[in-house]
Amino acid sequence: MQTADLLPLVLVLAAVAYGFAYMRSRAVATPLGGIRNLKALPAYYAARAALWCAIPALVILGAWAAFEGKVIQDIVMASLPAELAPQSEGHASLTLSQISNLAAGKLNPAMVPDGISGAATLLQELRAQSSQFKTLLVILLAVLGGAFAWTRVAPHINARKSVERTLQRLFFVCAAVAILTTIGIVFSVIFETFRFFGKVPVSEFLFGTSWSPQTALRADQIGSEGAFGVIPLFTGTLMISAIALLIAVPVGLLSAVYLSEYASRPVRAVVKPLLEMLAGVPTVVYGFFAALTVAPFIRDLALALGLEASSQSALAAGLVMGIMIIPFVSSLSDDVINAVPRTLRDGSLALGATQSETMKNVIFPAALPGIMGGILLAASRAIGETMIVVMAAGLAANLTANPLDSVTTVTVQIVSLLTGDQEFDSAKTLAAFALGMMLFIVTLLLNVIALKVVRKYREQYD
């Protein structure tokens, strides 16, 4: 069975263990005069049985899923004849891809050497054996764990403390996994970034004004050096994000003020859900709207005014992206404004301030930390958007300050660099990690600035 099929099976077995342990705890309590004579409620005995059933099986299932592919790949690659053994990481990746495609039936066996065919057969056998062993081991652990917990249902055992300790450790492990995952992502990006800077100078990357990562396979071909100047990408990213925020922040913030302070309840009950529906529209739909409606309208309007405009422009992408992120600003700002204590409003109004003065001088500063969080979330959403930029702004890395020109962003280039089968030894592919590292640093700086603003105003209104 596959991992996706074993996971619900383990949960079903845990539910069965819960039911059996619950019934046993009730049966044990009956001769003693009721459940009040047990050290814990029956639900705790049942929960402990479910945890004993599920946790060991899920741990083995997760570890197997994490290491299964790597172990099988190493065994398959070691089985290759000496003449077919890969000489580099890129060659190994291509060979493994060829073996996987042959094992999946996507490649004709007559088109590959016999050694590759044998490796593909071995790959199929190892995957089948691994699936069988994994299924048996996971089911066995789940059954044994549930049975052991079932036998441990006794009046003198305090199952509540056991369940609480287990859950506390489980929560700690979840927090540790989240932290370690973040650290692993950061260090993996840093490692690949250093590999990229070993091929391309840092000065060229940071201060270069040309982006053309299409390196040639041979040194005698045109464009074999490539160009990796990141400035055009960041100017395009900042331009589109700035246009989006210029649309989203005023509209979203003012709509939040209206809905929270001025709108009647019937109006709020209708407008707020309609406004939040914008967040549920797929980005590809926004992209079609930008490419088929907004971009041609901007081009025709610019031509009518005597201006030269591209059929794909930063202005079109920024306008549609701004519409898309309005709910992020509006909804969060509305919730934060409503969370301001009523005593601040009443005190301001009691001193003779008008409703607008109360909003401007009391409520807005008190809600500013939360509003900044909403704006930061919207900015991160704008910086990370890809589909709208591809469809409305294009892929051309132009260094320009004209919003009517075609531009591209960092995230779009990351996707294009990692699309398809790529060799991770080339500067072209490694450039994606360097772009990701720069984007991470920029986002981190934005978070630091937002935190300073939040702390400044939180101290005044706590």
Side-chain angles (χ1 to χ4, degrees), residues 236 239-244 246-247 290 294-295 297-299 301-302 307 309-310 312-323 388 392-393 401-407:
M239 182 187 300
I240 293 177
S241 301
I243 294 172
L246 287 175
I247 300 297
V294 179
F297 173 77
I298 292 176
R299 181 192 58 197
L301 180 61
L307 301 175
S310 174
Q312 293 178 316
S313 63
L315 183 59
L319 289 175
V320 176
M321 194 183 299
I323 297 173
I388 295 176
N402 185 3
L404 298 177
D405 288 339
S406 176
V407 296

PDB file of all heavy atoms in Angstrom, residues 236 239-244 246-247 290 294-295 297-299 301-302 307 309-310 312-323 388 392-393 401-407:
ATOM      1  N   GLY A 236      11.552  45.318 -11.207  1.00  0.00           N
ATOM      2  CA  GLY A 236      10.232  44.856 -11.648  1.00  0.00           C
ATOM      3  C   GLY A 236       9.373  44.392 -10.489  1.00  0.00           C
ATOM      4  O   GLY A 236       8.178  44.691 -10.426  1.00  0.00           O
ATOM      5  N   MET A 239       8.312  47.477  -8.495  1.00  0.00           N
ATOM      6  CA  MET A 239       7.366  48.303  -9.238  1.00  0.00           C
ATOM      7  C   MET A 239       5.956  47.692  -9.183  1.00  0.00           C
ATOM      8  O   MET A 239       4.985  48.388  -8.851  1.00  0.00           O
ATOM      9  CB  MET A 239       7.812  48.460 -10.697  1.00  0.00           C
ATOM     10  CG  MET A 239       6.892  49.361 -11.524  1.00  0.00           C
ATOM     11  SD  MET A 239       7.312  49.361 -13.279  1.00  0.00           S
ATOM     12  CE  MET A 239       8.987  49.973 -13.224  1.00  0.00           C
ATOM     13  N   ILE A 240       5.853  46.413  -9.484  1.00  0.00           N
ATOM     14  CA  ILE A 240       4.539  45.773  -9.480  1.00  0.00           C
ATOM     15  C   ILE A 240       3.968  45.726  -8.066  1.00  0.00           C
ATOM     16  O   ILE A 240       2.770  45.993  -7.860  1.00  0.00           O
ATOM     17  CB  ILE A 240       4.649  44.358 -10.082  1.00  0.00           C
ATOM     18  CG1 ILE A 240       4.997  44.444 -11.565  1.00  0.00           C
ATOM     19  CG2 ILE A 240       3.357  43.578  -9.885  1.00  0.00           C
ATOM     20  CD1 ILE A 240       5.191  43.109 -12.238  1.00  0.00           C
ATOM     21  N   SER A 241       4.800  45.423  -7.074  1.00  0.00           N
ATOM     22  CA  SER A 241       4.320  45.383  -5.691  1.00  0.00           C
ATOM     23  C   SER A 241       3.887  46.762  -5.223  1.00  0.00           C
ATOM     24  O   SER A 241       2.874  46.895  -4.508  1.00  0.00           O
ATOM     25  CB  SER A 241       5.419  44.831  -4.772  1.00  0.00           C
ATOM     26  OG  SER A 241       5.799  43.533  -5.162  1.00  0.00           O
ATOM     27  N   ALA A 242       4.637  47.798  -5.592  1.00  0.00           N
ATOM     28  CA  ALA A 242       4.270  49.152  -5.183  1.00  0.00           C
ATOM     29  C   ALA A 242       2.933  49.568  -5.797  1.00  0.00           C
ATOM     30  O   ALA A 242       2.081  50.169  -5.117  1.00  0.00           O
ATOM     31  CB  ALA A 242       5.373  50.128  -5.589  1.00  0.00           C
ATOM     32  N   ILE A 243       2.731  49.248  -7.076  1.00  0.00           N
ATOM     33  CA  ILE A 243       1.453  49.575  -7.721  1.00  0.00           C
ATOM     34  C   ILE A 243       0.314  48.834  -7.027  1.00  0.00           C
ATOM     35  O   ILE A 243      -0.762  49.400  -6.761  1.00  0.00           O
ATOM     36  CB  ILE A 243       1.511  49.226  -9.219  1.00  0.00           C
ATOM     37  CG1 ILE A 243       2.531  50.115  -9.941  1.00  0.00           C
ATOM     38  CG2 ILE A 243       0.131  49.375  -9.865  1.00  0.00           C
ATOM     39  CD1 ILE A 243       2.789  49.702 -11.383  1.00  0.00           C
ATOM     40  N   ALA A 244       0.546  47.564  -6.711  1.00  0.00           N
ATOM     41  CA  ALA A 244      -0.493  46.775  -6.046  1.00  0.00           C
ATOM     42  C   ALA A 244      -0.828  47.344  -4.671  1.00  0.00           C
ATOM     43  O   ALA A 244      -2.000  47.445  -4.296  1.00  0.00           O
ATOM     44  CB  ALA A 244      -0.042  45.316  -5.926  1.00  0.00           C
ATOM     45  N   LEU A 246      -0.369  50.434  -3.664  1.00  0.00           N
ATOM     46  CA  LEU A 246      -1.025  51.738  -3.819  1.00  0.00           C
ATOM     47  C   LEU A 246      -2.518  51.585  -4.082  1.00  0.00           C
ATOM     48  O   LEU A 246      -3.305  52.496  -3.778  1.00  0.00           O
ATOM     49  CB  LEU A 246      -0.363  52.520  -4.964  1.00  0.00           C
ATOM     50  CG  LEU A 246       1.027  53.092  -4.681  1.00  0.00           C
ATOM     51  CD1 LEU A 246       1.611  53.729  -5.938  1.00  0.00           C
ATOM     52  CD2 LEU A 246       0.970  54.110  -3.542  1.00  0.00           C
ATOM     53  N   ILE A 247      -2.904  50.477  -4.654  1.00  0.00           N
ATOM     54  CA  ILE A 247      -4.322  50.206  -4.867  1.00  0.00           C
ATOM     55  C   ILE A 247      -4.946  49.572  -3.632  1.00  0.00           C
ATOM     56  O   ILE A 247      -6.021  49.986  -3.159  1.00  0.00           O
ATOM     57  CB  ILE A 247      -4.516  49.282  -6.088  1.00  0.00           C
ATOM     58  CG1 ILE A 247      -3.953  49.948  -7.359  1.00  0.00           C
ATOM     59  CG2 ILE A 247      -5.983  48.919  -6.266  1.00  0.00           C
ATOM     60  CD1 ILE A 247      -4.655  51.227  -7.743  1.00  0.00           C
ATOM     61  N   ALA A 290      -6.430  40.071 -16.195  1.00  0.00           N
ATOM     62  CA  ALA A 290      -5.398  41.075 -16.464  1.00  0.00           C
ATOM     63  C   ALA A 290      -4.933  41.023 -17.917  1.00  0.00           C
ATOM     64  O   ALA A 290      -4.743  42.066 -18.558  1.00  0.00           O
ATOM     65  CB  ALA A 290      -4.211  40.867 -15.526  1.00  0.00           C
ATOM     66  N   VAL A 294      -7.601  44.038 -18.735  1.00  0.00           N
ATOM     67  CA  VAL A 294      -6.912  45.208 -18.191  1.00  0.00           C
ATOM     68  C   VAL A 294      -5.750  45.633 -19.078  1.00  0.00           C
ATOM     69  O   VAL A 294      -5.603  46.826 -19.396  1.00  0.00           O
ATOM     70  CB  VAL A 294      -6.441  44.923 -16.759  1.00  0.00           C
ATOM     71  CG1 VAL A 294      -5.687  46.135 -16.191  1.00  0.00           C
ATOM     72  CG2 VAL A 294      -7.618  44.579 -15.865  1.00  0.00           C
ATOM     73  N   ALA A 295      -4.912  44.695 -19.483  1.00  0.00           N
ATOM     74  CA  ALA A 295      -3.745  45.052 -20.287  1.00  0.00           C
ATOM     75  C   ALA A 295      -4.136  45.677 -21.631  1.00  0.00           C
ATOM     76  O   ALA A 295      -3.579  46.718 -22.013  1.00  0.00           O
ATOM     77  CB  ALA A 295      -2.854  43.822 -20.497  1.00  0.00           C
ATOM     78  N   PHE A 297      -6.878  47.312 -22.307  1.00  0.00           N
ATOM     79  CA  PHE A 297      -7.472  48.607 -22.000  1.00  0.00           C
ATOM     80  C   PHE A 297      -6.383  49.647 -21.716  1.00  0.00           C
ATOM     81  O   PHE A 297      -6.463  50.795 -22.210  1.00  0.00           O
ATOM     82  CB  PHE A 297      -8.404  48.469 -20.801  1.00  0.00           C
ATOM     83  CG  PHE A 297      -8.938  49.784 -20.304  1.00  0.00           C
ATOM     84  CD1 PHE A 297      -9.963  50.431 -20.979  1.00  0.00           C
ATOM     85  CD2 PHE A 297      -8.403  50.383 -19.170  1.00  0.00           C
ATOM     86  CE1 PHE A 297     -10.447  51.656 -20.528  1.00  0.00           C
ATOM     87  CE2 PHE A 297      -8.884  51.592 -18.712  1.00  0.00           C
ATOM     88  CZ  PHE A 297      -9.909  52.235 -19.400  1.00  0.00           C
ATOM     89  N   ILE A 298      -5.371  49.268 -20.942  1.00  0.00           N
ATOM     90  CA  ILE A 298      -4.279  50.206 -20.636  1.00  0.00           C
ATOM     91  C   ILE A 298      -3.505  50.557 -21.900  1.00  0.00           C
ATOM     92  O   ILE A 298      -3.133  51.712 -22.129  1.00  0.00           O
ATOM     93  CB  ILE A 298      -3.358  49.599 -19.561  1.00  0.00           C
ATOM     94  CG1 ILE A 298      -4.100  49.512 -18.237  1.00  0.00           C
ATOM     95  CG2 ILE A 298      -2.077  50.419 -19.415  1.00  0.00           C
ATOM     96  CD1 ILE A 298      -3.311  48.833 -17.140  1.00  0.00           C
ATOM     97  N   ARG A 299      -3.285  49.574 -22.751  1.00  0.00           N
ATOM     98  CA  ARG A 299      -2.557  49.839 -23.998  1.00  0.00           C
ATOM     99  C   ARG A 299      -3.344  50.787 -24.888  1.00  0.00           C
ATOM    100  O   ARG A 299      -2.791  51.763 -25.428  1.00  0.00           O
ATOM    101  CB  ARG A 299      -2.304  48.518 -24.728  1.00  0.00           C
ATOM    102  CG  ARG A 299      -1.526  48.663 -26.039  1.00  0.00           C
ATOM    103  CD  ARG A 299      -1.594  47.366 -26.818  1.00  0.00           C
ATOM    104  NE  ARG A 299      -2.996  47.017 -27.078  1.00  0.00           N
ATOM    105  CZ  ARG A 299      -3.392  45.795 -27.435  1.00  0.00           C
ATOM    106  NH1 ARG A 299      -2.520  44.816 -27.565  1.00  0.00           N
ATOM    107  NH2 ARG A 299      -4.666  45.561 -27.664  1.00  0.00           N
ATOM    108  N   LEU A 301      -5.693  52.920 -23.977  1.00  0.00           N
ATOM    109  CA  LEU A 301      -5.770  54.222 -23.334  1.00  0.00           C
ATOM    110  C   LEU A 301      -4.471  54.992 -23.499  1.00  0.00           C
ATOM    111  O   LEU A 301      -4.477  56.205 -23.767  1.00  0.00           O
ATOM    112  CB  LEU A 301      -6.101  54.046 -21.850  1.00  0.00           C
ATOM    113  CG  LEU A 301      -6.223  55.326 -21.020  1.00  0.00           C
ATOM    114  CD1 LEU A 301      -7.355  56.200 -21.554  1.00  0.00           C
ATOM    115  CD2 LEU A 301      -6.437  54.987 -19.548  1.00  0.00           C
ATOM    116  N   ALA A 302      -3.328  54.288 -23.365  1.00  0.00           N
ATOM    117  CA  ALA A 302      -2.036  54.953 -23.534  1.00  0.00           C
ATOM    118  C   ALA A 302      -1.856  55.441 -24.975  1.00  0.00           C
ATOM    119  O   ALA A 302      -1.353  56.543 -25.209  1.00  0.00           O
ATOM    120  CB  ALA A 302      -0.910  53.996 -23.146  1.00  0.00           C
ATOM    121  N   LEU A 307       0.877  57.902 -25.793  1.00  0.00           N
ATOM    122  CA  LEU A 307       1.971  57.235 -25.097  1.00  0.00           C
ATOM    123  C   LEU A 307       2.206  55.861 -25.695  1.00  0.00           C
ATOM    124  O   LEU A 307       1.289  55.242 -26.239  1.00  0.00           O
ATOM    125  CB  LEU A 307       1.653  57.103 -23.606  1.00  0.00           C
ATOM    126  CG  LEU A 307       1.397  58.409 -22.847  1.00  0.00           C
ATOM    127  CD1 LEU A 307       0.980  58.108 -21.417  1.00  0.00           C
ATOM    128  CD2 LEU A 307       2.634  59.298 -22.867  1.00  0.00           C
ATOM    129  N   ALA A 309       2.848  52.038 -25.121  1.00  0.00           N
ATOM    130  CA  ALA A 309       2.617  51.039 -24.078  1.00  0.00           C
ATOM    131  C   ALA A 309       2.753  49.646 -24.665  1.00  0.00           C
ATOM    132  O   ALA A 309       2.358  49.388 -25.805  1.00  0.00           O
ATOM    133  CB  ALA A 309       1.230  51.210 -23.458  1.00  0.00           C
ATOM    134  N   SER A 310       3.303  48.749 -23.859  1.00  0.00           N
ATOM    135  CA  SER A 310       3.452  47.358 -24.267  1.00  0.00           C
ATOM    136  C   SER A 310       2.140  46.614 -24.058  1.00  0.00           C
ATOM    137  O   SER A 310       1.291  47.008 -23.257  1.00  0.00           O
ATOM    138  CB  SER A 310       4.568  46.690 -23.458  1.00  0.00           C
ATOM    139  OG  SER A 310       4.636  45.311 -23.727  1.00  0.00           O
ATOM    140  N   GLN A 312       1.921  43.852 -22.675  1.00  0.00           N
ATOM    141  CA  GLN A 312       2.063  43.333 -21.316  1.00  0.00           C
ATOM    142  C   GLN A 312       2.820  44.380 -20.505  1.00  0.00           C
ATOM    143  O   GLN A 312       3.933  44.755 -20.867  1.00  0.00           O
ATOM    144  CB  GLN A 312       2.820  41.999 -21.296  1.00  0.00           C
ATOM    145  CG  GLN A 312       2.068  40.853 -21.954  1.00  0.00           C
ATOM    146  CD  GLN A 312       2.877  39.574 -21.947  1.00  0.00           C
ATOM    147  OE1 GLN A 312       4.064  39.580 -22.232  1.00  0.00           O
ATOM    148  NE2 GLN A 312       2.218  38.464 -21.635  1.00  0.00           N
ATOM    149  N   SER A 313       2.253  44.833 -19.430  1.00  0.00           N
ATOM    150  CA  SER A 313       2.849  45.948 -18.698  1.00  0.00           C
ATOM    151  C   SER A 313       2.798  45.710 -17.205  1.00  0.00           C
ATOM    152  O   SER A 313       1.956  44.952 -16.686  1.00  0.00           O
ATOM    153  CB  SER A 313       2.127  47.255 -19.035  1.00  0.00           C
ATOM    154  OG  SER A 313       0.772  47.211 -18.619  1.00  0.00           O
ATOM    155  N   ALA A 314       3.706  46.384 -16.497  1.00  0.00           N
ATOM    156  CA  ALA A 314       3.725  46.318 -15.041  1.00  0.00           C
ATOM    157  C   ALA A 314       2.477  46.938 -14.449  1.00  0.00           C
ATOM    158  O   ALA A 314       1.989  46.501 -13.397  1.00  0.00           O
ATOM    159  CB  ALA A 314       4.975  47.020 -14.506  1.00  0.00           C
ATOM    160  N   LEU A 315       1.935  47.949 -15.107  1.00  0.00           N
ATOM    161  CA  LEU A 315       0.742  48.617 -14.593  1.00  0.00           C
ATOM    162  C   LEU A 315      -0.451  47.676 -14.585  1.00  0.00           C
ATOM    163  O   LEU A 315      -1.229  47.652 -13.607  1.00  0.00           O
ATOM    164  CB  LEU A 315       0.435  49.858 -15.437  1.00  0.00           C
ATOM    165  CG  LEU A 315      -0.752  50.710 -14.988  1.00  0.00           C
ATOM    166  CD1 LEU A 315      -0.538  51.214 -13.569  1.00  0.00           C
ATOM    167  CD2 LEU A 315      -0.966  51.867 -15.951  1.00  0.00           C
ATOM    168  N   ALA A 316      -0.611  46.892 -15.632  1.00  0.00           N
ATOM    169  CA  ALA A 316      -1.730  45.945 -15.687  1.00  0.00           C
ATOM    170  C   ALA A 316      -1.612  44.897 -14.591  1.00  0.00           C
ATOM    171  O   ALA A 316      -2.585  44.600 -13.889  1.00  0.00           O
ATOM    172  CB  ALA A 316      -1.781  45.282 -17.063  1.00  0.00           C
ATOM    173  N   ALA A 317      -0.411  44.340 -14.437  1.00  0.00           N
ATOM    174  CA  ALA A 317      -0.216  43.330 -13.393  1.00  0.00           C
ATOM    175  C   ALA A 317      -0.408  43.933 -12.011  1.00  0.00           C
ATOM    176  O   ALA A 317      -1.025  43.320 -11.132  1.00  0.00           O
ATOM    177  CB  ALA A 317       1.179  42.720 -13.518  1.00  0.00           C
ATOM    178  N   GLY A 318       0.105  45.141 -11.789  1.00  0.00           N
ATOM    179  CA  GLY A 318      -0.015  45.767 -10.488  1.00  0.00           C
ATOM    180  C   GLY A 318      -1.443  46.108 -10.124  1.00  0.00           C
ATOM    181  O   GLY A 318      -1.868  45.917  -8.973  1.00  0.00           O
ATOM    182  N   LEU A 319      -2.221  46.593 -11.092  1.00  0.00           N
ATOM    183  CA  LEU A 319      -3.616  46.939 -10.812  1.00  0.00           C
ATOM    184  C   LEU A 319      -4.431  45.704 -10.423  1.00  0.00           C
ATOM    185  O   LEU A 319      -5.180  45.727  -9.436  1.00  0.00           O
ATOM    186  CB  LEU A 319      -4.237  47.615 -12.037  1.00  0.00           C
ATOM    187  CG  LEU A 319      -3.757  49.034 -12.360  1.00  0.00           C
ATOM    188  CD1 LEU A 319      -4.372  49.522 -13.658  1.00  0.00           C
ATOM    189  CD2 LEU A 319      -4.084  49.994 -11.223  1.00  0.00           C
ATOM    190  N   VAL A 320      -4.292  44.647 -11.177  1.00  0.00           N
ATOM    191  CA  VAL A 320      -5.060  43.432 -10.887  1.00  0.00           C
ATOM    192  C   VAL A 320      -4.571  42.792  -9.588  1.00  0.00           C
ATOM    193  O   VAL A 320      -5.373  42.287  -8.781  1.00  0.00           O
ATOM    194  CB  VAL A 320      -4.960  42.448 -12.063  1.00  0.00           C
ATOM    195  CG1 VAL A 320      -5.680  41.148 -11.740  1.00  0.00           C
ATOM    196  CG2 VAL A 320      -5.548  43.074 -13.321  1.00  0.00           C
ATOM    197  N   MET A 321      -3.271  42.820  -9.357  1.00  0.00           N
ATOM    198  CA  MET A 321      -2.747  42.274  -8.113  1.00  0.00           C
ATOM    199  C   MET A 321      -3.238  43.081  -6.910  1.00  0.00           C
ATOM    200  O   MET A 321      -3.529  42.534  -5.838  1.00  0.00           O
ATOM    201  CB  MET A 321      -1.217  42.251  -8.136  1.00  0.00           C
ATOM    202  CG  MET A 321      -0.594  41.400  -7.042  1.00  0.00           C
ATOM    203  SD  MET A 321       1.200  41.476  -7.075  1.00  0.00           S
ATOM    204  CE  MET A 321       1.525  40.817  -8.707  1.00  0.00           C
ATOM    205  N   GLY A 322      -3.348  44.398  -7.090  1.00  0.00           N
ATOM    206  CA  GLY A 322      -3.890  45.233  -6.028  1.00  0.00           C
ATOM    207  C   GLY A 322      -5.318  44.867  -5.689  1.00  0.00           C
ATOM    208  O   GLY A 322      -5.711  44.830  -4.514  1.00  0.00           O
ATOM    209  N   ILE A 323      -6.128  44.595  -6.712  1.00  0.00           N
ATOM    210  CA  ILE A 323      -7.505  44.150  -6.468  1.00  0.00           C
ATOM    211  C   ILE A 323      -7.516  42.816  -5.724  1.00  0.00           C
ATOM    212  O   ILE A 323      -8.330  42.595  -4.825  1.00  0.00           O
ATOM    213  CB  ILE A 323      -8.266  44.035  -7.802  1.00  0.00           C
ATOM    214  CG1 ILE A 323      -8.370  45.416  -8.469  1.00  0.00           C
ATOM    215  CG2 ILE A 323      -9.647  43.431  -7.597  1.00  0.00           C
ATOM    216  CD1 ILE A 323      -8.949  45.371  -9.858  1.00  0.00           C
ATOM    217  N   ILE A 388      -0.152  36.039 -12.138  1.00  0.00           N
ATOM    218  CA  ILE A 388      -0.609  37.306 -12.710  1.00  0.00           C
ATOM    219  C   ILE A 388       0.528  37.994 -13.455  1.00  0.00           C
ATOM    220  O   ILE A 388       0.328  38.567 -14.539  1.00  0.00           O
ATOM    221  CB  ILE A 388      -1.169  38.212 -11.598  1.00  0.00           C
ATOM    222  CG1 ILE A 388      -2.413  37.594 -10.988  1.00  0.00           C
ATOM    223  CG2 ILE A 388      -1.489  39.598 -12.126  1.00  0.00           C
ATOM    224  CD1 ILE A 388      -2.982  38.362  -9.822  1.00  0.00           C
ATOM    225  N   ALA A 392       0.286  38.899 -17.341  1.00  0.00           N
ATOM    226  CA  ALA A 392       0.005  40.311 -17.599  1.00  0.00           C
ATOM    227  C   ALA A 392       1.239  41.152 -17.802  1.00  0.00           C
ATOM    228  O   ALA A 392       1.176  42.190 -18.477  1.00  0.00           O
ATOM    229  CB  ALA A 392      -0.810  40.902 -16.442  1.00  0.00           C
ATOM    230  N   ALA A 393       2.393  40.763 -17.231  1.00  0.00           N
ATOM    231  CA  ALA A 393       3.601  41.575 -17.335  1.00  0.00           C
ATOM    232  C   ALA A 393       4.686  40.923 -18.179  1.00  0.00           C
ATOM    233  O   ALA A 393       5.621  41.601 -18.599  1.00  0.00           O
ATOM    234  CB  ALA A 393       4.160  41.887 -15.943  1.00  0.00           C
ATOM    235  N   ALA A 401      11.806  52.220 -15.432  1.00  0.00           N
ATOM    236  CA  ALA A 401      10.936  52.830 -14.420  1.00  0.00           C
ATOM    237  C   ALA A 401       9.578  53.176 -15.006  1.00  0.00           C
ATOM    238  O   ALA A 401       8.749  53.789 -14.319  1.00  0.00           O
ATOM    239  CB  ALA A 401      11.600  54.085 -13.846  1.00  0.00           C
ATOM    240  N   ASN A 402       9.341  52.791 -16.250  1.00  0.00           N
ATOM    241  CA  ASN A 402       8.074  53.068 -16.919  1.00  0.00           C
ATOM    242  C   ASN A 402       7.094  51.934 -16.648  1.00  0.00           C
ATOM    243  O   ASN A 402       7.310  50.801 -17.075  1.00  0.00           O
ATOM    244  CB  ASN A 402       8.304  53.224 -18.417  1.00  0.00           C
ATOM    245  CG  ASN A 402       7.040  53.643 -19.158  1.00  0.00           C
ATOM    246  OD1 ASN A 402       5.993  53.871 -18.544  1.00  0.00           O
ATOM    247  ND2 ASN A 402       7.133  53.729 -20.470  1.00  0.00           N
ATOM    248  N   PRO A 403       5.995  52.175 -15.941  1.00  0.00           N
ATOM    249  CA  PRO A 403       5.039  51.095 -15.650  1.00  0.00           C
ATOM    250  C   PRO A 403       4.306  50.577 -16.872  1.00  0.00           C
ATOM    251  O   PRO A 403       3.608  49.562 -16.785  1.00  0.00           O
ATOM    252  CB  PRO A 403       4.073  51.743 -14.661  1.00  0.00           C
ATOM    253  CG  PRO A 403       4.172  53.207 -14.926  1.00  0.00           C
ATOM    254  CD  PRO A 403       5.575  53.459 -15.350  1.00  0.00           C
ATOM    255  N   LEU A 404       4.442  51.263 -18.024  1.00  0.00           N
ATOM    256  CA  LEU A 404       3.792  50.795 -19.241  1.00  0.00           C
ATOM    257  C   LEU A 404       4.642  49.784 -20.002  1.00  0.00           C
ATOM    258  O   LEU A 404       4.200  49.248 -21.025  1.00  0.00           O
ATOM    259  CB  LEU A 404       3.470  51.986 -20.155  1.00  0.00           C
ATOM    260  CG  LEU A 404       2.500  53.025 -19.583  1.00  0.00           C
ATOM    261  CD1 LEU A 404       2.321  54.170 -20.561  1.00  0.00           C
ATOM    262  CD2 LEU A 404       1.154  52.390 -19.249  1.00  0.00           C
ATOM    263  N   ASP A 405       5.856  49.516 -19.512  1.00  0.00           N
ATOM    264  CA  ASP A 405       6.736  48.543 -20.153  1.00  0.00           C
ATOM    265  C   ASP A 405       6.529  47.155 -19.554  1.00  0.00           C
ATOM    266  O   ASP A 405       5.985  46.993 -18.463  1.00  0.00           O
ATOM    267  CB  ASP A 405       8.196  48.954 -19.988  1.00  0.00           C
ATOM    268  CG  ASP A 405       8.559  50.154 -20.849  1.00  0.00           C
ATOM    269  OD1 ASP A 405       7.837  50.400 -21.830  1.00  0.00           O
ATOM    270  OD2 ASP A 405       9.548  50.836 -20.521  1.00  0.00           O
ATOM    271  N   SER A 406       6.995  46.167 -20.293  1.00  0.00           N
ATOM    272  CA  SER A 406       6.935  44.784 -19.825  1.00  0.00           C
ATOM    273  C   SER A 406       8.103  44.521 -18.879  1.00  0.00           C
ATOM    274  O   SER A 406       9.250  44.876 -19.168  1.00  0.00           O
ATOM    275  CB  SER A 406       6.993  43.835 -21.012  1.00  0.00           C
ATOM    276  OG  SER A 406       7.030  42.493 -20.582  1.00  0.00           O
ATOM    277  N   VAL A 407       7.816  43.901 -17.732  1.00  0.00           N
ATOM    278  CA  VAL A 407       8.843  43.583 -16.743  1.00  0.00           C
ATOM    279  C   VAL A 407       8.603  42.165 -16.233  1.00  0.00           C
ATOM    280  O   VAL A 407       7.621  41.514 -16.593  1.00  0.00           O
ATOM    281  CB  VAL A 407       8.830  44.577 -15.565  1.00  0.00           C
ATOM    282  CG1 VAL A 407       9.179  45.981 -16.026  1.00  0.00           C
ATOM    283  CG2 VAL A 407       7.484  44.557 -14.854  1.00  0.00           C
TER     284      VAL A 407
END
